[in-house]
Amino acid sequence: MRLWIKRPLAILADKAQGGVVVEGAVIAERVPRGGSPKQPVDAVFDAGDHVVLPGLINTHHHFYQTLTRAHPPALNKRLFPWLDALFHTWQHLDAGMLRVAVRLAIAELVLSGCTTVADHHYLFNDALAEAVDIEVEEVRRLGVRAVITRGAMNLPKEVAGFAPPSLVQDEDTVLAQSEAALSAYHERGAGAMVQIALAPCSPFSVSEALMADTALLARRHGARLHTHLAETRDEIAYCQDTFGCRTVDYLERLGWLAADVWLAHGIHFDRDEIARLGTAGVGVAHCPSSNQVLASGFCPVPELERAGVAVGLGVDGSASNDHSNLMQEVRQAFLAQRATHDAPAVTHWDALRWATAGSAACLGRDDLGVIAEGRRADLALFKLDELRFSGAGDALAALVLCGAYRADRVMVGGRWVVVDGALPSEDLDALMHEHGAAARRLRACAG
């Protein structure tokens, strides 16, 4: 099956003003302005009203947190007191609640133009023993690509961090369950739909031994590594007090300063640390909305990129954002970086690149993030038919500056998963009803 996505209003690709030809699951051809496909096609989609982007890629999220949006006990707090307030509620999460939280988060992401989702799930107890299985089932149900990062916490609140004892696992259990997830679900190579990464939660919730042993395990399976790092000044102080070093030194001595690692947040690095991260090939997931909600600071994105660090975008948890809309996060990243850098230093092209090619690089995916021959046919198509876009002169810039938030069409691996702004497989009213009931039940459990 060869489909010509014909002559879009605009497209984020070189030499493709005439559109692209999708053959099976890949991009077969870019069509230049005024041209036609070199080989016959079986079908045509007229994209004259659409702006075409590579599918957006989310590099950091916590799906379960959709159940605690605008959570009253956690409002107007910085990261550490925010975590302290929320763990009291999160410890009551069960498998049924998690499933509906995951489904809603993915639906929201896909409708925003996201084709690859990455989730950092680190809550495990008897009720959540099958959390990874649930997440894999839900991403397959909705037809998107995913990197499910199997998180962990092995230091209880009495020792460090904020985790109640019910959410802490010992190191042997973490490693055994992580290896089981890798063996069951991790796909390698171009076109992979589901991948597993290993993701100890943070320096203040896991031991140094678990960090080091997790790296060895992931590398035996060809999997990537992920963790929160350098999100707040309090975290930097914690590392200095506890480990006798700053965060990048901590990574290096545990075997994590490497090209198979991407970090969430990456705000508080000095100039030398940025250079070392770039030399090592570490990636950073920029989470601007969360960073601003929690008053954590501003990620130095241009400085990181100049040093060779791959920078992608993440919506982060829906209790610190509080949405799962990656297209809105593109605009937020643009504005956040404009607030801390000169206007010519940060363009709408940069913001779109962070959500596509930059995010793909963070996840180690050279088959995604760019519209070109041989890349996967993951595409997001937006219309400019709302009041917010009226009068826009540059269609690509309008997506960022005028605040696009919902895709009209989304394709994953050559298959439409969003059609006319809707998910054909989902009854969203029923989903929101079920999700709202689960959120109320979770709050009631927490008292």
Side-chain angles (χ1 to χ4, degrees):
M1 179 71 179
R2 284 172 56 85
L3 170 67
W4 180 15
I5 299 176
K6 182 180 179 180
R7 296 173 187 154
L9 180 63
I11 185 168
L12 188 63
D14 294 330
K15 302 177 182 178
Q17 291 79 9
V20 294
V21 176
V22 173
E23 185 170 351
V26 301
I27 303 292
E29 182 182 348
R30 288 172 292 170
V31 180
R33 187 186 305 277
S36 297
K38 297 175 183 177
Q39 301 294 328
V41 298
D42 302 295
V44 175
F45 176 81
D46 185 351
D49 293 331
H50 292 85
V51 182
V52 180
L53 303 179
L56 307 183
I57 299 170
N58 183 41
T59 58
H60 184 67
H61 204 346
H62 307 293
F63 290 163
Y64 74 89
Q65 290 183 17
T66 60
L67 295 169
T68 48
R69 288 170 162 151
H71 190 58
L75 296 175
N76 306 316
K77 289 179 167 65
R78 291 185 176 180
L79 178 64
F80 281 8
W82 177 86
L83 285 169
D84 200 37
L86 278 161
F87 268 116
H88 175 72
T89 299
W90 293 339
Q91 66 183 326
H92 299 286
L93 189 72
D94 64 30
M97 296 174 190
L98 176 63
R99 184 177 294 279
V100 70
V102 170
R103 187 175 303 168
L104 186 130
I106 297 171
E108 190 178 0
L109 284 166
V110 176
L111 287 168
S112 75
C114 183
T115 55
T116 299
V117 301
D119 188 53
H120 186 184
H121 187 84
Y122 50 80
L123 302 183
F124 291 91
N125 55 23
D126 290 343
L128 298 171
E130 298 179 349
V132 172
D133 310 271
I134 289 169
E135 295 208 337
V136 171
E137 288 167 9
E138 291 302 321
V139 298
R140 287 176 173 170
R141 169 194 171 100
L142 290 164
V144 298
R145 297 187 202 278
V147 179
I148 306 301
T149 74
R150 203 290 182 189
M153 297 183 292
N154 74 328
L155 297 180
K157 184 176 181 177
E158 292 76 17
V159 176
F162 304 92
S166 62
L167 293 174
V168 171
Q169 296 180 301
D170 64 79
E171 181 178 340
D172 289 343
T173 299
V174 170
L175 294 173
Q177 293 184 359
S178 296
E179 185 155 33
L182 287 164
S183 299
Y185 298 121
H186 182 56
E187 302 172 17
R188 301 196 196 193
M193 290 296 294
V194 175
Q195 294 186 312
I196 302 295
L198 300 188
C201 184
S202 64
F204 49 83
S205 59
V206 297
S207 66
E208 292 183 80
L210 181 56
M211 287 286 290
D213 289 344
T214 295
L216 296 175
L217 174 60
R219 287 163 184 154
R220 286 203 301 271
H221 287 265
R224 296 180 74 76
L225 292 161
H226 183 54
T227 192
H228 296 94
L229 202 77
E231 183 175 0
T232 67
R233 290 186 176 88
D234 289 339
E235 180 193 324
I236 303 298
Y238 176 88
C239 286
Q240 290 175 318
D241 292 344
T242 305
F243 309 121
C245 64
R246 286 173 57 89
T247 52
V248 174
D249 296 320
Y250 169 79
L251 287 184
E252 185 169 33
R253 80 186 192 194
L254 298 176
W256 278 65
L257 193 61
D260 56 1
V261 173
W262 87 103
L263 308 170
H265 302 292
I267 297 171
H268 298 285
F269 296 127
D270 63 28
R271 185 178 303 177
D272 175 68
E273 290 167 338
I274 290 172
R276 291 164 65 193
L277 291 167
T279 299
V282 175
V284 168
H286 178 31
C287 305
S289 292
S290 176
N291 296 159
Q292 291 172 81
V293 167
L294 297 175
S296 299
F298 292 93
C299 179
V301 173
E303 294 86 345
L304 288 165
E305 289 197 309
R306 283 196 296 270
V309 176
V311 176
L313 285 189
V315 299
D316 200 9
S318 294
S320 63
N321 187 312
D322 288 355
H323 63 67
S324 303
N325 189 304
L326 191 53
M327 193 64 227
Q328 285 188 299
E329 205 65 17
V330 172
R331 186 172 191 266
Q332 194 72 12
F334 171 79
L335 294 175
Q337 294 304 314
R338 273 284 177 93
T340 53
H341 295 83
D342 191 23
V346 177
T347 70
H348 66 280
W349 299 101
D350 294 319
L352 291 167
R353 186 187 70 254
W354 299 331
T356 54
S359 285
C362 282
L363 300 183
R365 296 296 297 261
D366 60 8
D367 57 332
L368 306 177
V370 176
I371 297 174
E373 289 81 359
R375 303 292 182 105
R376 298 293 121 175
D378 291 6
L379 302 169
L381 284 66
F382 294 83
K383 283 188 172 182
L384 305 184
D385 58 355
E386 300 174 66
L387 288 174
R388 71 182 65 218
F389 299 115
S390 183
D394 184 308
L396 281 165
L399 294 181
V400 180
L401 296 172
C402 302
Y405 68 95
R406 189 153 183 164
D408 182 65
R409 288 257 176 167
V410 176
M411 174 182 283
V412 180
R415 174 177 168 268
W416 294 116
V417 296
V418 172
V419 176
D420 298 332
L423 284 166
S425 64
E426 293 300 314
D427 180 338
L428 295 185
D429 287 338
L431 175 58
M432 287 188 289
H433 177 79
E434 183 182 1
H435 183 270
R440 289 189 294 274
R441 191 166 77 253
L442 179 59
R443 288 195 295 270
C445 290

